[in-house]
Amino acid sequence: MPIAPAHRTTAPPSTTLATPDTLWYTRCPVPTATGIAADRGWLADEFAPEGIAVRSLQDGGRDVDAAARRTHYTHALPGLFREGGNVPALWARSRGQRTRLVGLTWIEERQTVLVSPTSGIRGAGALRGRRLAVPRHDLDIDFWRAMALRGFDGALASAGLAPEDAVRVDVPAGRHTGQWAAELDALRRGEVDAVYVKGALAVEAARDAGAEVAVELDELPDPAHRVNNGTPRPITVHQDLLDARPDLVDRFLAVLLRAADWAADRPDEVNRILGAETGAGSTGVLGAYRPGTHRTLHPGLSEDRLALLVRQEEALRGHGFLPERVDVGEWADPGPLTRAAARLHEAGTPGPASPDSPTPPRQDI
């Protein structure tokens, strides 16, 4: 959502990163190990014995102003852990922010291309020559626009088409407040032929708008066609924190691995948490996240995931979202996650229950 510009932050100060009194975390309203760990209270419990508070940018209350919340995108807060979309993460790194990539997840989140029920458009090949809705928001980094462009890129490529084989139509978000609302309104008015949406709220919005699915991106067999803001999804930390207190970073990631292990055996609990995280009802959650999602929350830095993030970086730069190239291989630091896994192993905690590779396309829709 839009974050108003501001020049100060009321986030509680830390003395130094070597002796912090507060660690911060932020996550997107999607399936994340961070969200699971926060719901269980494990992040606070891990650091409380040392007098270190652990706080969320989303749940910080009135003493966390717009400037602090804006660091969800800029990662300008050195004591911040971020598990969220790759568009802001790559953008922050491209602008020179000293972040490090310490994990990636791959979680299918139901990406679809919607059309009017009377359009007759079915399948990716039918998008040739069609008017595709591309939203425009007043944001530092317009990740909504990036998601739409990349969603259409994947759909068109799956049919052997290029972006120029369709027509982009800018749709200003204006005063619309709901996700995808401006684009779905444009679809109802006949100003565009197709809209890209993703996630639990999108399932509910599509139902309410009476739109129908033309392309299920999750069913495309090549994961490269499903690369977008959340696939793969990065976990990033600031280099300053990693330099000053690598032990805190290792312990934070160990809690996330523990949370992912816990989730792997509790689909109902994960769905409950997802409902709270996404703000969607049970219909939206069940429609957006396929069976087995609860087993896919483990972060990793496999070659496959890194290669797919490289594709995303190249595409975002090609669309003009990144001011400078991001060397994904140099950005990634596998050390903290390796040490976190070793910490769990030494404590007798089971390792990851899911493979470190993209999950197969959904078959249940």
Side-chain angles (χ1 to χ4, degrees), residues 36 40 42 257-266 269-270 273:
I36 300 293
R40 303 300 299 165
W42 292 343
L257 290 174
R258 177 186 169 202
D261 288 341
W262 178 89
D265 296 323
R266 295 169 175 85
E269 278 290 286
V270 171
I273 295 170

Side-chain angles (χ1 to χ4, degrees), residues 97-116:
Q97 196 60 254
R98 297 180 68 248
T99 60
R100 293 306 296 267
L101 173 66
V102 294
L104 287 167
T105 61
W106 183 283
I107 300 167
E108 305 289 3
E109 203 176 359
R110 196 176 187 190
Q111 303 182 74
T112 65
V113 175
L114 301 177
V115 297
S116 166

